[in-house]
Amino acid sequence: MTVIWKRAAALTAAALALALGGSTLSAQSASADPAGVFRTLNWENAADRTMPGAPPPGFIKQWEKSHGASTVTSPVRDGAYAAKFELNRMDPLISNGTRAEISQDNKQPVNAERWYGFSINLPADWVYDPSSEIVSQWHQCDERNCPSGSPPLALLTDEGRWKIDFRGKIIDLGPYATGRWTDWVFHVKWRTDEKGVLEVWRDGQEAMPRHIGATHAGGPYSPYFKFGIYKWDWNNKDKTTSTTTQRVMYYDSLRLGDERATYEDVKPGADSAPVCAALPVAAASASTFEPINPPAQAVDGNLSTRWSGQGFGASLFLELSSVRRLCGTRVAWHLGDQRWNDYTVYTSLDNVTYTKAWEGRSSGTTTGLEQKLFTNGPRDAKYVKISFWKNPQNDWASITEAAVLGS
Ligand SMILES: [Ca+2]
Ligand SMILES: [Ca+2]
């Protein structure tokens, strides 16, 4: 099996709704990357959510069909977004292979020291297949004077197990688990002499003995990183030994570091602390309310009490004790399982000028809190205004609970 893919690889020329039930999520990297991390790709920045039409900035697209790579909101390893890769047996070849991958540029500096942190989710329906697939690989450069052959380093799933192919040697890491995230950190000194290093961690534990010595066969560049799904056994559609016809997997929390980086700098989920969580509300008020349903009852933690205000534009105001980085709201509507409500969320720094952060309709299917992240990402604010427009039954705004999310 390994021999088969090696041949195929050698041919590789160039080669919201957000109804998130969880209580917290991080909406965006809360802090700047450490100095040694030169690229974070966790799809939390809107500019990275380019798929399926285009690769994230700085990367190369290696999928043919629109299902090949896309952005999803579940599951996620960090924040609110992750990448989904889907490969079907009959997908056309791209770069001489059946693949859905995102690739680095193939001109990586010679003798580079690199850290690669990422997390992979093989979903629960990732069935056993006798033919394997590469889910991350480090490919030798494609220029003249590069050695041909299979990639010097690859992470595979094969017959129910994680395996590493390191320069032709298969290292069995044991069974894979499905339906959850598996964290990986690779540290490589790309060298052709005794100064090379390969270290691998899985879920925070060393996954294999540290290798010291050559890590690739040479050429004018260091190997470049590719990730997604590459299933060489599907290259020949008629003669595959595979017993499945589709592979779907999720990828998140990629950090690429240089020689200044550390394990801690690139490990997946490094900023998965709750940076988009409910914040304490200092005061609640309203543009209008009926005396038995005052605005304070929208923040008393009790879904059986409510604020009710009558009329188009009736508004609930939530004030924080200071300016915070806000990312969204949660709102529970009275009789929310019987009727939808159209409403707009605004934020303000000064309680004078309000700008729109989200606008839409509640589901009409739940009396529980419904989470809406701000349409254009987090923003600084101290005040939140929730303005009611209409529901199909009457002209009353009735909110049982509301929460402001932020960090
Ligand atoms: Ca993410
Ligand atoms: Ca309440």
Side-chain angles (χ1 to χ4, degrees):
M1 179 172 315
T2 307
V3 173
I4 295 168
W5 80 258
K6 282 171 183 301
R7 282 198 206 104
L11 294 171
T12 305
L16 253 132
L18 287 175
L20 296 171
S23 58
T24 61
L25 76 167
S26 106
Q28 199 140 20
S29 296
S31 53
D33 286 329
V37 175
F38 59 87
R39 184 69 162 95
T40 289
L41 180 59
N42 58 5
W43 291 276
E44 301 312 310
N45 292 318
D48 285 332
R49 295 196 288 272
T50 55
M51 307 178 299
F59 290 91
I60 294 164
K61 174 175 182 270
Q62 288 196 325
W63 62 90
E64 192 63 42
K65 296 290 194 178
S66 60
H67 59 237
S70 55
T71 309
V72 295
T73 55
S74 177
V76 297
R77 176 62 182 85
D78 63 16
Y81 301 93
K84 174 188 176 184
F85 293 96
E86 177 183 330
L87 192 66
N88 293 298
R89 184 191 288 189
M90 298 312 291
D91 284 348
L93 303 191
I94 179 166
S95 289
N96 300 311
T98 307
R99 68 181 78 241
E101 290 185 299
I102 296 173
S103 178
Q104 275 188 310
D105 185 89
N106 65 14
K107 295 184 177 60
Q108 298 298 312
V110 69
N111 291 337
E113 179 176 353
R114 290 288 179 263
W115 289 85
Y116 312 84
F118 52 89
S119 196
I120 293 174
N121 189 313
L122 306 176
D125 59 1
W126 183 274
V127 297
Y128 177 95
D129 190 4
S131 91
S132 47
E133 45 273 309
I134 287 179
V135 291
S136 296
Q137 61 171 309
W138 290 260
H139 200 284
Q140 67 273 32
C141 65
D142 300 318
E143 306 294 313
R144 286 183 62 209
N145 302 318
C146 293
S148 62
S150 55
L153 180 61
L155 175 65
L156 1 160
T157 58
D158 181 34
E159 299 185 313
R161 305 176 76 81
W162 291 114
K163 293 181 182 176
I164 287 174
D165 184 337
F166 177 49
R167 308 195 70 196
K169 179 183 170 190
I170 300 295
I171 302 163
D172 188 339
L173 304 182
Y176 56 64
T178 61
R180 72 164 178 88
W181 291 95
T182 300
D183 291 345
W184 297 94
V185 172
F186 283 70
H187 175 220
V188 190
K189 292 182 180 177
W190 292 112
R191 304 279 302 203
T192 57
D193 59 16
E194 75 285 354
K195 293 180 178 152
V197 168
L198 170 63
E199 298 175 286
V200 183
W201 292 263
R202 176 178 58 170
D203 290 335
Q205 306 286 323
E206 283 186 30
M208 56 170 266
R210 185 176 202 244
H211 166 86
I212 296 176
T215 48
H216 72 122
Y221 304 104
S222 290
Y224 60 96
F225 183 54
K226 295 169 52 152
F227 57 98
I229 309 171
Y230 172 43
K231 199 160 172 70
W232 61 93
D233 196 42
W234 285 351
N235 292 353
N236 187 332
K237 309 300 182 190
D238 299 325
K239 293 186 177 174
T240 177
T241 61
S242 173
T243 56
T244 187
T245 57
Q246 186 187 63
R247 280 304 201 206
V248 172
M249 62 93 108
Y250 303 93
Y251 213 96
D252 201 3
S253 208
L254 172 65
R255 284 181 184 76
L256 302 173
D258 63 22
E259 68 281 358
R260 297 167 295 170
T262 66
Y263 176 89
E264 292 295 320
D265 290 338
V266 302
K267 72 177 183 182
D271 63 355
S272 63
V275 295
C276 188
L279 298 173
V281 173
S285 58
S287 62
T288 176
F289 64 93
E290 59 177 345
I292 60 166
N293 292 311
Q297 291 186 176
V299 291
D300 63 359
N302 183 349
L303 283 172
S304 65
T305 61
R306 68 180 191 267
W307 159 70
S308 287
Q310 191 171 22
F312 182 86
S315 296
L316 176 69
F317 293 84
L318 303 176
E319 178 181 348
L320 306 176
S321 56
S322 61
V323 172
R324 303 290 288 266
R325 189 72 174 164
L326 305 187
C327 53
T329 60
R330 292 188 191 123
V331 178
W333 293 89
H334 177 57
L335 303 178
D337 58 344
Q338 299 174 34
R339 63 194 190 203
W340 47 259
N341 288 272
D342 282 343
Y343 67 106
T344 301
V345 177
Y346 304 87
T347 68
S348 175
L349 288 162
D350 57 8
N351 202 21
V352 176
T353 303
Y354 279 86
T355 57
K356 190 185 296 186
W358 183 89
E359 186 167 66
R361 177 171 287 183
S362 69
S363 71
T365 62
T366 179
T367 56
L369 289 160
E370 289 188 290
Q371 179 164 300
K372 307 294 181 186
L373 298 185
F374 293 162
T375 304
N376 293 315
R379 52 165 72 180
D380 292 339
K382 183 180 176 184
Y383 302 88
V384 172
K385 177 168 73 164
I386 300 170
S387 293
F388 163 84
W389 308 115
K390 66 177 188 178
N391 71 46
Q393 291 183 347
N394 59 35
D395 66 346
W396 282 90
S398 291
I399 289 176
T400 57
E401 281 298 302
V404 176
L405 307 179
S407 56

